[in-house]
């Protein structure tokens, strides 16, 4: 099965300080046809006003990933972490037995734009943990969440995550992934991505069960590729 999830059809929540687009059902937005793909449960595209943010709140038994696209997050949690997460960094938090955290725009003048991603875990009631990484920006695919790839972050989930970046060196950069799982979901972050005969614009997504996919894009192109069970 292949289906495209246009950015314009996503759910939306606006709270003055927050403008959030939901690829899948979340909060007050419910669509039984868009409940996630396999263990990928949430992709929220969040824009947060200067000085504003998500106050302390709790999670259990969920793998929560944040990818900062613009600005900087100020993070605090019940594990004792007080962190700044700048643009380009990925943050992973295993909620496990329970964790409280807050996420604020660290700037009083500049906007914050980040993706919040939730993955269902493959082990329940794990000890909560925190990790944060920056990955070199190189054309092609980079493993972000993958137990078998050196430098990638660990996740208590059967999902694998790659970041794709295009290139203008020869007009575009082509990258082929042979998935380990049964399903794929590609979320376009910026530019235009060509995949499986479709053109994805920022915020668009596509779900596939192909046994290999090839992504193509120029230097403006970026996408997250989820390899799912």
């Amino acid at each position: 099965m292949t289906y495209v999830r246009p950015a314009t059809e996503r759910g939306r929540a606006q709270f003055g300080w927050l403008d959030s687009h939901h690829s899948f059902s979340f909060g007050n937005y419910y669509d039984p046809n868009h409940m996630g793909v396999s263990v990928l449960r949430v992709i929220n595209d969040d824009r947060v006003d200067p000085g504003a943010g998500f106050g302390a709140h709790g999670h259990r038994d969920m793998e929560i990933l944040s990818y900062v696209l613009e600005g900087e997050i100020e993070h605090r949690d019940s594990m004792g972490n007080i962190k700044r997460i700048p643009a380009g960094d990925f943050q992973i938090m295993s909620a496990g037995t329970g964790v409280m955290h807050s996420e604020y725009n660290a700037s009083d003048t500049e906007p914050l734009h980040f993706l919040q991603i939730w993955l269902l875990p493959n082990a329940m009631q794990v000890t909560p943990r925190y990790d944060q990484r920056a990955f070199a920006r190189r054309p092609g695919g980079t493993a972000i969440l993958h137990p078998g790839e050196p430098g990638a972050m660990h996740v208590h989930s059967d999902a694998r995550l790659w970041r794709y970046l295009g290139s203008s060196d020869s007009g575009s950069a082509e990258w082929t992934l042979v998935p380990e799982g049964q399903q794929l979901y590609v979320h376009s972050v910026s530019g235009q991505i060509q995949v499986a005969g479709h053109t994805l614009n920022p915020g668009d997504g596509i779900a596939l069960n192909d046994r290999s996919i090839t992504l193509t894009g120029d230097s403006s192109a970026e996408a997250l590729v989820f390899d799912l069970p």
Side-chain angles (χ1 to χ4, degrees), residues 70-149:
E70 178 185 4
E72 187 174 48
I73 291 176
E74 179 180 296
H75 167 94
R76 295 173 181 263
D77 64 44
S78 54
M79 295 176 279
N81 294 301
I82 301 175
K83 302 287 186 179
R84 292 289 184 102
I85 310 162
D89 274 22
F90 289 83
Q91 172 216 60
I92 184 73
M93 188 174 65
S94 298
T97 56
V99 65
M100 297 287 293
H101 75 122
S102 63
E103 311 287 339
Y104 277 88
N105 185 340
S107 173
D108 291 327
T109 58
E110 300 300 322
L112 169 65
H113 182 199
F114 73 105
L115 298 178
Q116 180 185 169
I117 297 160
W118 292 11
L119 298 167
L120 298 175
N122 58 14
M124 308 297 280
Q125 297 291 286
V126 301
T127 300
R129 68 184 181 91
Y130 179 98
D131 194 8
Q132 179 181 336
R133 307 266 182 96
F135 295 85
R137 294 186 66 84
R138 55 178 179 78
T142 298
I144 305 300
L145 300 176
H146 196 302
E149 292 288 334

Side-chain angles (χ1 to χ4, degrees), residues 150-174:
M153 294 193 294
H154 175 71
V155 64
H156 292 293
S157 176
D158 293 322
R160 307 289 184 260
L161 172 61
W162 301 78
R163 179 177 65 189
Y164 166 78
L165 295 176
S167 171
S168 59
D169 292 346
S170 58
S172 63
E174 188 174 275

